[in-house]
């Protein structure tokens, strides 16, 4: 039976400690978890564009390959944290050396990942042991990686003109990403903010600069975009634990990945402030929707990416008023406006677990993703306190969140027990 353990949750969170470009002068700290989030946002864009017209079953299969490929790469990277990329690429060129390194990584990961799900573990082994990665999913992930890493490089480039490695690194990023221009969306990403797709990818990257709990010292600090990725990972694990269908797993991952996207326009507003005035949460929600419509959805729609905007709106819960609503998509009823292919309907978690847990209904969780959001916030606070940096805000948050979820269950998953594991 699938089991989510504290060790897996902490392992995923450990990317918040892992610094990138650590041998270069940096204007801000660049963390691995932030890069993974930016990479997966771009991978999602490429996934949407390169599966247009593809049968639903094939789209789901490819989506699962992209999401799990990202998770497996991330796990691998967390284990070999001290090996610089150029050294790793040299190791990978030698089949024997790469195989030896990979088997060691598998041994390190087994006790952390395998309890989650045996099939998931076997897919991880198959993926990391495969040296050649040339499938469409692999190429989408590679292009997304090059974009996100190149975006970081452009931040540090002006500060490192004295570094003789910089021209080679710069040329490598440009050459390798240009070589993938046959993928739909890559030319637009290369074009940067001159087009709607590049502008959206760049806007999302700016969530790296927004720190959560901004008025409360913490170690480690976490950004909004890093938090989004952690929530996405937890949502995928939770989905496996409750037996979610493939479409529901993917929707929950991407709902987690995008759930705080409006904060790039409104900034992170802590819960006590949101609760200080009765009408404030609704006012914030209205403002977020207005800003997203003007600065994201309308621009994507006008540029021919209406399907991308629509999908993003589904993850953000535009049809129901909250990204934390359980929803399905059903064929439009008779009498619906022309061009309406489907309608979004709110359901309950119990319905998702039974009659609605099928790919054709495009199910998406709400309470489950919210629980992952809360758990990630709890771990942020708890970890800082364990690291010796505490405050009344962090202590109060730990007690409040643990109390709120003490008796919460999601089907076979006892969420309260996960909070209780963090003593």
């Amino acid at each position: 039976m699938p089991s989510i353990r504290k060790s897996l949750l902490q392992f995923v969170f450990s990317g918040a400690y892992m610094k990138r470009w650590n041998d270069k002068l940096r204007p801000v700290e660049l963390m691995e978890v932030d890069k993974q989030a930016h990479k997966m946002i771009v991978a999602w864009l490429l996934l949407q564009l390169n599966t247009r017209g593809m049968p639903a079953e094939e789209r789901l299969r490819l989506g699962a390959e992209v999401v799990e490929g990202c998770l497996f790469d991330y796990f691998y990277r967390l284990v070999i944290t001290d090996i610089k990329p150029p050294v790793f690429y040299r190791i990978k060129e030698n089949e024997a050396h790469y195989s030896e390194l990979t088997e060691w990584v598998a041994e390190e990961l087994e006790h952390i990942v395998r309890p989650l799900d045996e099939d998931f573990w076997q897919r991880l082994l198959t993926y990391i042991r495969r040296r050649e990665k040339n499938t469409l999913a692999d190429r989408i992930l590679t292009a997304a990686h090059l974009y996100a890493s190149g975006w970081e490089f452009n931040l540090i480039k002006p500060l490192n003109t004295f570094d003789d490695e910089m021209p080679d690194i710069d040329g490598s990023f440009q050459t390798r990403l240009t070589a993938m221009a046959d993928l739909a969306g890559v030319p637009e990403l290369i074009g940067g903010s001159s087009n709607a797709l590049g502008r959206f990818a760049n806007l999302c990257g700016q969530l790296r600069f927004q720190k959560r709990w901004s008025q409360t010292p913490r170690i480690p600090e976490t950004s909004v975009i890093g938090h989004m990725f952690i929530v996405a990972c937890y949502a995928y694990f939770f989905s496996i634990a409750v037996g979610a269908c493939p479409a529901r797993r993917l929707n929950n991952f991407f709902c987690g990945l995008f759930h705080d996207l409006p904060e790039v326009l409104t900034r992170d507003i802590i819960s006590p402030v949101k609760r200080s005035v009765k009408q404030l949460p609704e006012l914030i929600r209205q403002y977020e929707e207005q800003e997203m419509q003007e600065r994201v959805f309308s621009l994507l729609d006008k540029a021919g990416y209406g399907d991308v905007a629509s999908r993003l709106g589904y993850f953000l819960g535009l049809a129901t008023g909250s990204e934390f609503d359980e929803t399905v998509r059903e064929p439009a009823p008779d009498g619906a406006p022309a061009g309406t292919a489907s309608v979004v309907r709110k359901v309950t978690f119990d319905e998702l677990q039974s009659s609605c847990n099928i790919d054709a209904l495009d199910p998406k969780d709400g309470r489950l993703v919210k629980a992952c959001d809360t758990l990630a916030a709890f771990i942020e606070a708890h970890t800082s306190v364990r690291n010796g940096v505490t405050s009344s805000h962090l202590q109060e948050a730990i007690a409040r969140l643990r109390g709120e979820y003490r008796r919460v269950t999601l089907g076979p998953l006892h969420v309260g027990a996960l909070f209780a594991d963090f003593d």
Side-chain angles (χ1 to χ4, degrees):
M1 182 176 178
S3 173
I4 298 176
R5 296 185 179 177
K6 174 183 175 181
S7 58
L8 177 61
L9 302 174
Q10 290 179 312
F11 181 65
V12 168
F13 183 77
S14 68
Y17 291 101
M18 188 174 172
K19 297 179 180 180
R20 293 177 53 77
W21 304 99
N22 200 34
D23 58 343
K24 308 299 180 188
L25 181 60
R26 304 176 300 284
V28 294
E29 286 293 2
L30 300 169
M31 313 308 292
E32 183 65 28
V33 72
D34 299 351
K35 182 261 178 159
Q36 293 294 332
H38 202 185
K39 167 185 169 180
M40 276 311 295
I41 288 172
V42 173
W44 175 77
L45 288 172
L46 297 178
L47 183 63
Q48 296 304 300
L49 299 180
N50 287 276
T51 56
R52 283 173 166 171
M54 193 177 283
E57 186 175 338
E58 193 172 348
R59 285 174 64 100
L60 282 178
R61 179 191 56 76
L62 184 63
E65 288 179 7
V66 168
V67 168
E68 293 193 349
C70 167
L71 294 176
F72 301 155
D73 283 335
Y74 179 53
F75 294 168
Y76 199 113
R77 186 78 184 95
L78 289 176
V79 173
I80 64 165
T81 175
D82 293 327
I83 302 179
K84 287 184 63 173
V87 177
F88 174 68
Y89 296 144
R90 290 289 298 273
I91 293 174
K92 202 169 183 179
E93 290 172 1
N94 185 302
E95 185 172 353
H97 293 169
Y98 179 69
S99 177
E100 186 177 350
L101 177 64
T102 296
E103 292 310 308
W104 174 74
V105 169
E107 290 177 7
E108 294 294 305
L109 289 174
E110 183 171 10
H111 73 283
I112 299 172
V113 179
R114 193 168 192 173
L116 173 64
D117 180 66
E118 182 63 27
D119 290 341
F120 183 77
W121 169 247
Q122 292 301 325
R123 292 195 296 273
L124 181 150
L125 291 179
T126 299
Y127 182 87
I128 65 175
R129 287 169 175 167
R130 178 166 56 92
R131 291 180 68 243
E132 296 299 324
K133 294 183 169 63
N134 295 310
T135 67
L136 178 55
D138 295 330
R139 299 190 71 232
I140 286 174
L141 285 171
T142 299
H145 155 72
L146 290 171
Y147 175 85
S149 296
W151 195 92
E152 291 176 328
F153 177 79
N154 286 331
L155 288 179
I156 68 173
K157 181 178 175 181
L159 299 179
N160 290 271
T161 54
F162 57 85
D163 191 325
D164 59 8
E165 285 186 334
M166 300 303 279
D168 288 342
I169 297 173
D170 193 11
S172 175
F173 278 130
Q174 294 182 24
T175 300
R176 292 158 67 197
L177 190 56
T178 301
M180 309 195 78
D182 59 304
L183 283 176
V186 169
E188 289 79 4
L189 292 174
I190 293 173
S193 295
S194 63
N195 63 86
L197 204 68
R199 191 155 52 245
F200 176 70
N202 180 63
L203 183 69
C204 292
Q206 294 174 43
L207 284 166
R208 294 168 180 257
F209 310 142
Q210 290 191 28
K211 297 302 180 183
R212 285 170 53 78
W213 311 76
S214 59
Q215 306 302 316
T216 304
R218 288 181 303 119
I219 294 179
E221 287 189 325
T222 46
S223 70
V224 171
I225 200 171
H227 168 79
M228 288 157 57
F229 180 73
I230 291 168
V231 174
C233 293
Y234 291 176
Y236 200 76
F237 303 154
F238 276 37
S239 299
I240 291 174
V242 302
C245 66
R248 188 175 160 201
R249 291 185 191 183
L250 290 182
N251 287 343
N252 290 346
F253 178 89
F254 289 118
C255 181
L257 185 66
F258 287 113
H259 80 281
D260 277 339
L261 178 61
E263 290 184 8
V264 75
L265 307 174
T266 64
R267 298 182 62 187
D268 182 35
I269 303 173
I270 62 175
S271 295
V273 174
K274 288 180 181 178
R275 294 194 299 264
S276 62
V277 179
K278 186 176 181 180
Q279 292 82 14
L280 192 55
E282 181 57 29
L283 289 174
I284 293 171
R285 176 78 188 185
Q286 291 176 7
Y287 177 70
E288 287 178 343
E289 289 186 4
Q290 180 183 346
E291 288 291 290
M292 287 293 294
Q293 183 59 42
E294 292 179 1
R295 298 180 58 185
V296 176
F297 296 125
S298 64
L299 297 180
L300 288 172
D301 195 48
K302 290 176 182 176
Y305 304 113
D307 54 336
V308 175
S310 175
R311 197 67 190 152
L312 183 60
Y314 184 58
F315 296 141
L316 293 175
L318 293 191
T320 63
S322 174
E323 68 272 33
F324 299 130
D325 285 331
E326 287 84 2
T327 57
V328 295
R329 297 175 72 97
E330 297 177 328
D334 294 338
T340 304
S342 63
V343 293
V344 176
R345 180 172 69 89
K346 287 177 64 172
V347 295
T348 65
F349 176 80
D350 289 339
E351 287 179 287
L352 283 186
Q353 284 294 93
S354 54
S355 60
C356 296
N357 193 31
I358 53 177
D359 295 335
L361 289 177
D362 198 20
K364 178 183 74 67
D365 277 271
R367 288 175 56 212
L368 182 149
V369 178
K370 179 59 178 176
C372 294
D373 181 31
T374 304
L375 180 59
F378 174 84
I379 292 174
E380 289 169 353
H382 184 274
T383 303
S384 184
V385 171
R386 294 283 290 183
N387 285 333
V389 178
T390 187
S391 69
S392 60
H393 293 300
L394 295 178
Q395 296 284 4
E396 289 167 5
I398 290 171
R400 176 174 55 84
L401 298 178
R402 182 183 276 136
E404 287 178 359
Y405 278 81
R406 183 179 177 185
R407 294 184 174 84
V408 173
T409 59
L410 295 169
L413 180 62
H414 196 306
V415 180
L418 291 175
F419 283 79
D421 281 344
F422 292 83
D423 51 23

